[in-house]
Amino acid sequence: MFFRKKWALVLSGGGAKGFAHIGVLKFIDESGLKPDMIAGTSVGAIIGGFYACGMSGAEIEKFILEDFEFKNFFDMKTLHLPDISIAKAFVIGESLKNLFFRPGVDSGVKLHNIIKKLTENKKFGEEMIPFACNSVDLVTHSHIIHREGTIADAIRASMSVPGFFHPFRMNGMLLVDGGIHDNMPVCIPRRSGIKNVIAVNLNSNEPEKIEKFETGMDVIVESLFINSRISEKTKENTPTIEILANDGRTNTDMKDPAVSIEFGYKKAKEMSEQIFNVTTPAIKNIFRKKTV
């Protein structure tokens, strides 16, 4: 009898680059693998939460490619452009006014309702794969790890990019995007006793190109999450394997999600040998190599 290695999957934040997470999940499904835990922040919390609650990588892809339409997920009623990016929305009329007179450009209500539907409004403990995500409390300046309550509420908190989404009120806290503190929360499974961690990093470890910063939104988003990027790496927050899945798009570019999905799939496939070494017993890897 061979004992399966215990391992966790961590999905980083990165806005629209998060479509690449779906490609990684498709590779994991096709390989017959199943993590013992999923953790994520921001867009990684959204996609990781869907997967943990029972959606396959292919089902998430189908939803994004066939059912995702910008206007149905955000409540900026004044916008009627057929092809609108978040960056454009940020500087147009009502959206700009919302930034100064409301807690954010978008209430997050529409997206929250969709998340409730796709997670079947499950509570922690009811998901198919143990799940956790993180956020930051503006009141106490604390890093919050969500393991209790309704999964959709935890995801809504984790994805609350300051300035864009309203902060999420929960249990006396005012919660914003977890990526401000830790954009790739490897610490979550490690603190749960899982040693082997595969993390999907949507952000480059290299300096950004200066041409990337075209709008105020680009500057704000990069500034918000820079602390998470430059924080000193420790053993607790360094993954066993890091899949770099930054396809070069900005955090706000939602065009052509299929391109990012395929990019994530290819990046995972390129690292298949390392992934199998971390997730399966050595004897299985020997058999796998002989049959490939």
Side-chain angles (χ1 to χ4, degrees):
M1 180 176 179
F2 302 109
F3 294 97
R4 187 177 65 84
K5 291 183 179 180
K6 198 170 185 180
W7 65 284
L9 179 67
V10 173
L11 306 179
S12 85
K17 290 182 284 191
F19 294 131
H21 285 324
I22 301 170
V24 174
L25 293 176
K26 286 180 63 181
F27 174 81
I28 287 172
D29 287 341
E30 290 179 10
S31 301
L33 302 174
K34 181 181 179 181
D36 295 278
M37 181 181 190
I38 297 176
T41 194
S42 200
V43 69
I46 296 173
I47 294 173
F50 292 167
Y51 191 75
C53 287
M55 292 182 75
S56 67
E59 287 170 336
I60 300 172
E61 177 185 42
K62 183 176 184 294
F63 168 74
I64 292 296
L65 297 184
E66 297 182 9
D67 299 323
F68 182 86
E69 190 173 354
F70 188 92
K71 67 180 181 180
N72 295 331
F73 290 80
F74 304 96
D75 62 12
M76 292 168 285
K77 299 180 179 62
T78 60
L79 301 178
H80 302 289
L81 300 180
D83 181 20
I84 182 113
S85 71
I86 292 176
K88 290 176 183 175
F90 196 83
V91 295
I92 295 177
E94 188 71 17
S95 299
L96 187 59
K97 187 174 80 172
N98 288 347
L99 179 62
F100 290 100
F101 294 98
R102 295 168 61 191
V105 170
D106 192 274
S107 70
V109 171
K110 282 189 174 182
L111 190 53
H112 190 191
N113 287 336
I114 292 295
I115 292 170
K116 287 179 182 178
K117 180 180 178 181
L118 294 180
T119 59
E120 300 177 341
N121 211 27
K122 290 181 178 178
K123 297 184 184 213
F124 286 96
E126 297 175 343
E127 68 271 45
M128 305 294 289
I129 301 171
F131 172 71
C133 60
N134 64 336
S135 65
V136 173
D137 180 18
L138 291 178
V139 177
T140 62
H141 305 161
S142 302
H143 182 218
I144 307 299
I145 296 176
H146 297 275
R147 298 295 301 272
E148 297 179 348
T150 304
I151 290 173
D153 288 352
I155 294 171
R156 170 63 181 86
S158 185
M159 58 160 238
S160 300
V161 178
F164 188 77
F165 288 114
H166 290 196
F168 189 67
R169 292 178 180 270
M170 178 191 291
N171 301 328
M173 299 180 289
L174 195 61
L175 302 173
V176 294
D177 198 300
I180 294 173
H181 177 80
D182 191 344
N183 201 39
M184 194 171 69
V186 173
C187 66
I188 295 177
R190 287 274 166 75
R191 291 174 188 176
S192 298
I194 300 178
K195 176 181 177 182
N196 296 311
V197 178
I198 298 173
V200 184
N201 189 353
L202 301 175
N203 303 291
S204 172
N205 291 330
E206 301 297 324
E208 297 289 351
K209 293 180 181 178
I210 198 167
E211 294 80 13
K212 168 186 172 180
F213 304 101
E214 296 180 348
T215 69
M217 187 62 171
D218 293 331
V219 175
I220 290 170
V221 169
E222 191 67 24
S223 300
L224 287 171
F225 301 107
I226 198 167
N227 180 64
S228 180
R229 290 203 192 187
I230 66 177
S231 296
E232 183 180 353
K233 291 293 183 186
T234 65
K235 185 175 181 180
E236 182 184 58
N237 62 24
T238 301
T240 313
I241 294 176
E242 184 174 350
I243 302 172
L244 295 174
N246 179 357
D247 67 350
R249 70 174 60 211
T250 67
N251 291 340
T252 59
D253 180 6
M254 291 191 173
K255 297 188 296 294
D256 301 322
V259 174
S260 279
I261 293 172
E262 181 61 21
F263 182 83
Y265 179 87
K266 287 181 178 178
K267 284 295 178 180
K269 192 170 184 178
E270 287 172 5
M271 300 190 69
S272 59
E273 185 173 347
Q274 297 98 308
I275 290 171
F276 294 140
N277 285 339
V278 165
T279 59
T280 57
I283 190 70
K284 272 197 171 184
N285 287 323
I286 294 171
F287 179 75
R288 186 189 303 273
K289 289 175 183 178
K290 286 181 178 180
T291 55
V292 169

